[in-house]
Amino acid sequence: MSKLDGEIETLLSTLYTLQSSTGADTTAPTKPKPTSGKKTDRFLEIKTGCIQRLTSIQSMMMESREREGELDPKDVIRGQSQIREEIRMLTEEWRDLDSLYRIESRKKRSKFTQAELQSQQHTVLQLNEEIKKVKDLQRSGYGKVEG
């Protein structure tokens, strides 16, 4: 149980680092920063949603680990189902984010600078890594994780 808590804490700290390195406000993640471009707004909106959902999933996993022996088995199953659903929705949001990035990066005359596109690529890749870690942690509750 302490190993899982340590992994979740590591994921949370990585998440906050990702958030601060991509320019998101770590103190008020509910409101994306206002920008001039519509596509930028959409990218930031989805990115902020992904980060919030990832944080929510990690806190649900920590809470379920802390209250592991106290809950009714039906409540445990309900909680695990909710976590799986959140992970599914997070994956869909990430796909939207990745799609926005890929469409913009293929354009000959992108309205973003090369540095902004690299920042978006870094964000997309790092979020994907965090999602994979959360999926592995979630699966570890059911058995060993390989890899």
Side-chain angles (χ1 to χ4, degrees):
M1 185 157 58
S2 64
K3 180 182 176 187
L4 183 63
D5 291 341
E7 289 175 355
I8 290 175
E9 285 298 321
T10 304
L11 284 173
L12 283 173
S13 66
T14 305
L15 177 64
Y16 290 128
T17 305
L18 170 68
Q19 227 176 348
S20 63
S21 70
T22 57
D25 186 7
T26 57
T27 57
T30 56
K31 289 187 177 182
K33 292 181 181 179
T35 56
S36 59
K38 188 175 183 180
K39 294 262 183 190
T40 304
D41 285 341
R42 181 78 175 131
F43 187 87
L44 285 176
E45 179 183 312
I46 294 174
K47 179 188 80 167
T48 303
C50 283
I51 291 172
Q52 287 175 346
R53 193 174 301 277
L54 193 57
T55 305
S56 149
I57 290 169
Q58 290 170 341
S59 64
M60 285 191 299
M61 290 173 79
M62 281 186 72
E63 183 180 313
S64 69
R65 285 290 174 196
E66 290 171 357
R67 299 175 42 192
E68 193 171 293
E70 304 170 6
L71 296 176
D72 181 41
K74 288 182 180 181
D75 292 335
V76 171
I77 292 170
R78 196 174 297 121
Q80 289 171 345
S81 176
Q82 183 181 5
I83 290 171
R84 281 192 304 273
E85 180 63 20
E86 290 288 323
I87 290 173
R88 184 193 63 77
M89 292 187 322
L90 175 64
T91 304
E92 285 179 14
E93 285 180 355
W94 178 84
R95 285 185 186 132
D96 291 343
L97 192 69
D98 186 48
S99 173
L100 282 176
Y101 162 72
R102 288 183 188 278
I103 289 170
E104 195 62 37
S105 68
R106 288 183 187 140
K107 290 182 180 178
K108 287 184 180 179
R109 293 187 178 198
S110 174
K111 65 181 176 182
F112 298 113
T113 64
Q114 198 63 27
E116 289 172 328
L117 287 173
Q118 285 178 346
S119 173
Q120 287 182 359
Q121 179 187 24
H122 179 71
T123 301
V124 168
L125 293 175
Q126 206 159 17
L127 275 172
N128 189 34
E129 289 175 21
E130 293 300 316
I131 291 170
K132 285 180 182 178
K133 288 178 185 177
V134 167
K135 285 181 179 180
D136 288 344
L137 273 175
Q138 195 265 339
R139 286 184 193 126
S140 71
Y142 301 110
K144 287 189 173 182
V145 178
E146 295 181 22

